[in-house]
Amino acid sequence: MKTLLFLLLLLSFALPRELLMATTYPIYYPLLYLAGEIYEVKVLISTKTDVHHYEPKPQDLRNLKEAKHIFTLGLESWERKLPVSKERLYLLNQNLPLIGNDPHLWMSPKSYQAVVDNLYKVLLKIDPKNQNIYERRYREFSKRLKDLDEKYRQSLSQCKNRWLVSTHLSLRYLARDYGLRAEGLRGVHGEEEPKPSELFRLINLMKKESIKSLFVEEGYQGKAVLKVQREAGAKVYTINTSLYPTKEGDDYFSIMERNLSAFVEGLDCKK
């Protein structure tokens, strides 16, 4: 009898786990944390690319075909056009505290909680037998998120500069939730260069408000940055808004801690 149980246990470890797919890193990190004990979890867009203009590659299509369930935020047009059955695709955009159709909720730990809540509810619905695991992991993740939210609140409460100016309009949730003001180059994604009128508008704002900090997406090397630096006299601070891992072991929390350090320095906050 013991031998049989041992063989069954060994077999359970040998069998490949079913695959869950997150489209982007902001969905991947909580999905991995909540369901990683049970499922294999992968991210669809695993390279630095413009997620706003994403088109599936052949390998992406194969990964989508293999996945039992696919999870996506659901605010970009391409997300609703993914070549998978509706039964396997879960949009996590219900009852979110949105600003228009801006998808960047994860840049605010406070707003991001609503995305994690939706993901948790979907997992309970599709896999109720593992409810205890999901509940435990959800509580742990939410506790860490609440702690990070409090750290952001305290760190950003006493800053000489209250303007978050960025090359990509991605910091509006952060500004809303922590009493700041956000502005950026509208319509600029990836390697696109902004329209001259957008650049002129932003530089004028920075001069008018005496803003000397520009937050730039990691890897962005557009000419716009040099122009703003030169004409507004701004110093550049690098942030990671895509949550793409750049260091071994990176997760949502490690990346957002580094982002916070950049915000504290760039906004001249009291430490």
Side-chain angles (χ1 to χ4, degrees):
M1 184 64 179
K2 289 183 179 180
T3 302
L4 179 58
L5 289 174
F6 176 76
L7 290 174
L8 289 173
L9 182 62
L10 191 64
L11 183 62
S12 68
F13 282 111
L15 291 174
R17 295 189 296 172
E18 292 179 305
L19 174 63
L20 300 184
M21 181 72 67
T23 53
T24 60
Y25 277 105
I27 305 303
Y28 169 76
Y29 291 126
L31 180 61
L32 178 65
Y33 197 94
L34 268 63
E37 291 184 15
I38 306 163
Y39 294 94
E40 181 182 3
V41 179
K42 290 184 178 180
V43 60
L44 182 65
I45 307 176
S46 60
T47 58
K48 287 185 178 180
T49 187
D50 181 3
V51 297
H52 300 289
H53 296 161
Y54 168 73
E55 292 184 6
K57 298 177 176 62
Q59 182 58 50
D60 297 339
L61 296 175
R62 287 191 287 271
N63 287 335
L64 287 170
K65 186 177 181 180
E66 292 176 7
K68 181 176 182 180
H69 302 293
I70 300 98
F71 303 83
T72 194
L73 187 57
L75 296 177
E76 304 277 8
S77 59
W78 62 262
E79 293 176 285
R80 295 181 289 275
K81 299 176 184 177
L82 287 171
V84 298
S85 64
K86 292 182 179 180
E87 292 76 20
R88 293 194 297 131
L89 181 64
Y90 295 92
L91 307 182
L92 305 176
N93 56 8
Q94 299 81 21
N95 302 313
L96 297 178
L98 294 174
I99 299 174
N101 211 38
D102 185 348
H104 301 92
L105 293 102
W106 57 87
M107 290 305 297
S108 162
K110 182 177 180 179
S111 291
Y112 189 46
Q113 181 67 61
V115 178
V116 178
D117 292 346
N118 284 348
L119 176 61
Y120 169 63
K121 292 173 185 176
V122 170
L123 288 171
L124 291 181
K125 179 181 178 181
I126 65 177
D127 188 19
K129 69 179 182 297
N130 286 306
Q131 178 178 342
N132 289 340
I133 293 176
Y134 297 136
E135 285 183 350
R136 171 173 55 84
R137 300 295 281 176
Y138 169 73
R139 286 196 300 269
E140 292 172 357
F141 195 95
S142 296
K143 173 62 166 58
R144 294 184 66 188
L145 203 53
K146 184 176 181 180
D147 291 344
L148 184 63
D149 167 43
E150 179 62 19
K151 186 173 184 179
Y152 263 68
R153 188 188 66 78
Q154 291 184 3
S155 299
L156 300 176
S157 64
Q158 300 184 56
C159 305
K160 292 182 180 180
N161 178 17
R162 307 300 295 174
W163 280 93
L164 291 163
V165 177
S166 58
T167 49
H168 179 36
L169 193 58
S170 57
L171 303 178
R172 291 189 292 180
Y173 294 104
L174 180 68
R176 180 189 67 186
D177 293 342
Y178 301 101
L180 304 171
R181 301 180 71 177
E183 192 52 85
L185 294 169
R186 301 174 191 276
V188 179
H189 306 305
E191 297 303 317
E192 292 180 3
E193 288 295 322
K195 296 178 181 178
S197 59
E198 272 295 294
L199 205 51
F200 179 77
R201 179 188 61 80
L202 191 68
I203 291 172
N204 277 353
L205 172 69
M206 295 181 73
K207 288 180 178 179
K208 178 182 177 182
E209 299 291 340
S210 300
I211 302 167
K212 299 299 180 182
S213 302
L214 178 67
F215 296 98
V216 178
E217 169 63 23
E218 192 165 296
Y220 181 74
Q221 301 292 334
K223 295 178 182 178
V225 174
L226 297 176
K227 187 173 180 63
V228 173
Q229 277 185 288
R230 183 176 63 251
E231 297 196 17
K235 183 177 179 180
V236 168
Y237 297 88
T238 301
I239 56 174
N240 185 341
T241 62
S242 66
L243 302 188
Y244 180 86
T246 58
K247 294 185 178 181
E248 187 173 352
D250 258 347
D251 61 8
Y252 175 77
F253 299 98
S254 62
I255 294 171
M256 289 299 289
E257 287 278 2
R258 292 200 296 273
N259 282 341
L260 179 58
S261 296
F263 295 136
V264 167
E265 185 178 353
L267 298 180
D268 195 10
C269 304
K270 185 178 179 180
K271 298 181 181 179

